[in-house]
Each structure stands twice: as structure tokens, then as C-alpha cells.
Amino acid sequence: MSLTAEQQIKRMAEEIERSEDALRAINVKLRGYYDRLEVIYKQFKRRTPIKDTEFQNEFRTTVLELKAIADESGEFWRQTRTYFRTLEDKSEIIENNRINIKQLNITALAFNRQADELYTVFKNIQTLAKEVPLRLNWWLLEASCEDLNKTVTRILFLIRDMGKYL
């Protein structure tokens, strides 16, 4: 990478904030889908026609957006971890960027909370969706949730390793 360590740390913070914002928007959409799914579930139980014909397509589109976020973020953090593992003088770089790393930790914890919320919303939707005969791409949603959890874990471990040099 041609970036300096300070530039890389700032880029990391920007990436976390971007991913957190995107994940927050996905969580809002999924909470809305939960409300719509409750209505669909009631219609299905009453054996009335399901009126929300766009639910399935919109849900699938949102899951694809989530998958794109998980893939982009995962790739960035794999490269970043490799970069920081290959640095020669970690303690000096970390010491010079002390405030940035502490800020990075705070934003990473906020991103972690959004990932936890995603998993909670996923589980809530899953309880209702099992009963409704819709073709929702659960495997992709579940895989994306797992990928994001792995990415968050990588971020937190990387920041913890950086903290060792403070």
C-alpha cells in the first residue's frame, strides 16, 4: 500500500463509519420488512390473498445490498490487517496516532452494535417468515450476517492489537 500509516488509520475510520451508516440503513429497512411481514403472516393465517406483492422482491434486493456491504467491508479489512501485520515499527506509528486509534475503537464499537442489531432483526424476521410461503433468500441473509460478524471481530481484534502498542 502506498498510504502512510496515519492515512491508513484515517481510511480505516472512514470505512467503519461508511459501513456503519450503510448497515444502519439496512437495519431500518429490515425493521420495516418485519412490520410488513406481520401483516402478510396475518393474511396467510386467515387464508386471505396476500396484498403486499412487492415484499418478496424488495426484501431480496435489500439482502443483495447487505451482501455487497459485507463483501466490500470484508475485503477492505483483510487487506488492512495484512498491512498492519507487515509494518516494521508498530509501536512508534501507534504512539504517533494515539487519538486516531482511540477514535477508531469508538467507531468500531458503534459498528459492532449495528451488527448485533442486524442479527436481532434477522432472528425476529426469521420467526415469522418460517410460517409464510414466500421465497426469501435466507441463506444469503444469514451468510451476510455471519460475514459481517466476522468482519467486526477482525476489526475489534486489529484495534485491540494496536492498543497493545499504546
Side-chain angles (χ1 to χ4, degrees):
M1 291 189 154
S2 61
L3 299 174
T4 66
E6 183 176 351
Q7 291 171 329
Q8 184 64 25
I9 291 169
K10 288 181 180 178
R11 188 168 171 225
M12 289 166 57
E14 291 170 1
E15 176 65 22
I16 291 173
E17 288 175 3
R18 186 192 64 77
S19 296
E20 180 193 358
D21 291 343
L23 189 55
R24 181 177 286 119
I26 295 289
N27 285 338
V28 168
K29 286 182 182 180
L30 288 175
R31 276 188 248 118
Y33 291 141
Y34 179 77
D35 295 339
R36 291 169 62 186
L37 192 59
E38 281 183 322
V39 173
I40 291 171
Y41 176 75
K42 289 176 185 174
Q43 291 170 348
F44 176 71
K45 283 296 184 182
R46 293 179 187 148
R47 299 181 197 268
T48 60
I50 296 174
K51 296 175 184 166
D52 192 352
T53 57
E54 292 300 311
F55 177 82
Q56 186 171 296
N57 292 333
E58 290 175 16
F59 187 84
R60 286 173 165 247
T61 301
T62 301
V63 170
L64 290 175
E65 290 173 21
L66 178 63
K67 179 66 176 160
I69 292 167
D71 290 346
E72 290 171 19
S73 186
E75 183 59 32
F76 174 81
W77 288 104
R78 275 189 287 280
Q79 292 173 359
T80 302
R81 287 181 69 197
T82 302
Y83 171 76
F84 272 98
R85 285 182 180 158
T86 60
L87 285 177
E88 295 288 324
D89 191 15
K90 293 177 186 162
S91 59
E92 182 180 332
I93 291 169
I94 302 298
E95 188 63 36
N96 292 338
N97 294 290
R98 178 181 222 105
I99 293 172
N100 290 336
I101 291 172
K102 288 184 180 189
Q103 182 63 37
L104 194 63
N105 188 33
I106 292 168
T107 55
L109 292 173
F111 184 46
N112 185 33
R113 284 189 293 277
Q114 286 301 316
D116 288 344
E117 183 177 340
L118 172 68
Y119 190 74
T120 301
V121 171
F122 162 68
K123 285 299 185 181
N124 289 339
I125 289 175
Q126 188 180 30
T127 57
L128 279 179
K130 285 192 278 186
E131 304 294 325
V132 180
L134 294 176
R135 294 180 53 91
L136 304 174
N137 42 358
W138 285 110
W139 64 273
L140 190 57
L141 179 59
E142 190 169 9
S144 298
C145 288
E146 291 299 320
D147 289 347
L148 275 172
N149 282 333
K150 288 177 187 175
T151 299
V152 168
T153 302
R154 285 185 185 120
I155 293 168
L156 293 174
F157 276 128
L158 176 63
I159 293 170
R160 187 186 73 188
D161 288 344
M162 291 172 139
K164 290 178 184 177
Y165 294 98
L166 287 176

